Structure formats: C-alpha cells, structure tokens
Amino acid sequence: MPEPLSSDHSRSEPRPTEARLLNMVFPDNTNHLGTLFGGQMDMAAFIAASRYARTTVVTARSEQVDFNLPIHKGDLVEVVARVVKVGRSSMNVDVEVITENLLTGERKLCTRGHFVMIALDPLGRPTQAPPLPAEQ
C-alpha cells in the first residue's frame, strides 16, 4: 500500500504556518464585470490559523486589503496565507492572492491582506494560541 502524501503531525514536529488554496475562476464565481468575488482570503486565513493552532478559530477582523489587479474568469488563483505573529489568543495572518495564466505561466500578485484570527476553547472563549517557534 502506498505511503500517504501527508503525515500525522506529532507534538515534536513544527506546526504548519502556511496554507495554499488553488482555484479556477469560473463564470459562477464572478460578478457582472467578469471578475472574481471575494471570500477566498478569509477562508485561507482561517485554514492557516486552524492548522497552526489546532483549535477552533474565528476571524476577529480583516485589515488593509489592497486590491491591486482584477482577477478574471479563466484565471488560476493561488491564495497563500501565513501566520506571521501570535499574541495570547490572536494570530495575525498575511494573505496574498496570485493569478496564473495557465497557457503562458505568467503570474501576477493581485491582492494582499492582513487578518486577525482568534483561537477559541470548546466553550467558545478566547484561549491561548501556541507561540511561533521564533517567539519560544
């Protein structure tokens, strides 16, 4: 039987601080101008923070989202989210959205944003988030 592509993370292994989402932009994902609707950045921030904290997380706020270029129908979209700072229960996550033309391979940074996620305990109260390795 082949080995799984991913392994179970033990306590001794570093926690993942990054998440990457890949999606194609189809007509049902676009607005009346043929450009992508939002929402993928918050999803990527949620996944990065959840994988890092290994607990329930919620979005506290999104800050400074810069839309530099439109994302069009037919583009491949890569959303990259990284946990960059951890407070007591908060995790700061930077997110970049990059498009790729599948025919030419040309990649463009379209959007950048910053999200603050909060770690919650089973009762829904803020709980301690694990420190980043550089902060330990």
Side-chain angles (χ1 to χ4, degrees), residues 111-128:
T111 308
R112 281 189 172 151
H114 181 80
F115 293 77
V116 179
M117 313 302 284
I118 303 295
L120 300 178
D121 69 14
L123 298 175
R125 298 177 300 210
T127 190
Q128 181 72 44

Side-chain angles (χ1 to χ4, degrees), residues 64-79:
Q64 191 66 38
V65 177
D66 297 317
F67 298 94
N68 301 317
L69 297 170
I71 300 169
H72 299 283
K73 177 180 66 177
D75 286 341
L76 174 67
V77 176
E78 182 176 18
V79 185

Side-chain angles (χ1 to χ4, degrees), residues 56-129:
T56 300
V57 302
V58 294
T59 305
R61 66 181 170 270
S62 60
E63 302 174 340
Q64 191 66 38
V65 177
D66 297 317
F67 298 94
N68 301 317
L69 297 170
I71 300 169
H72 299 283
K73 177 180 66 177
D75 286 341
L76 174 67
V77 176
E78 182 176 18
V79 185
V80 182
R82 292 180 187 93
V83 177
V84 295
K85 183 179 177 187
V86 175
R88 193 190 85 67
S89 62
S90 65
M91 292 164 281
N92 293 7
V93 182
D94 286 343
V95 181
E96 294 181 338
V97 180
I98 301 149
T99 62
E100 180 177 332
N101 181 308
L102 288 177
L103 300 179
T104 67
E106 180 182 16
R107 293 171 56 87
K108 296 178 185 174
L109 176 62
C110 294
T111 308
R112 281 189 172 151
H114 181 80
F115 293 77
V116 179
M117 313 302 284
I118 303 295
L120 300 178
D121 69 14
L123 298 175
R125 298 177 300 210
T127 190
Q128 181 72 44

Side-chain angles (χ1 to χ4, degrees), residues 20-38:
R20 291 176 179 263
L21 307 178
L22 289 167
N23 290 298
M24 285 298 302
V25 179
F26 292 110
D28 60 336
N29 305 121
T30 63
N31 60 25
H32 64 288
L33 299 174
T35 59
L36 181 66
F37 283 126

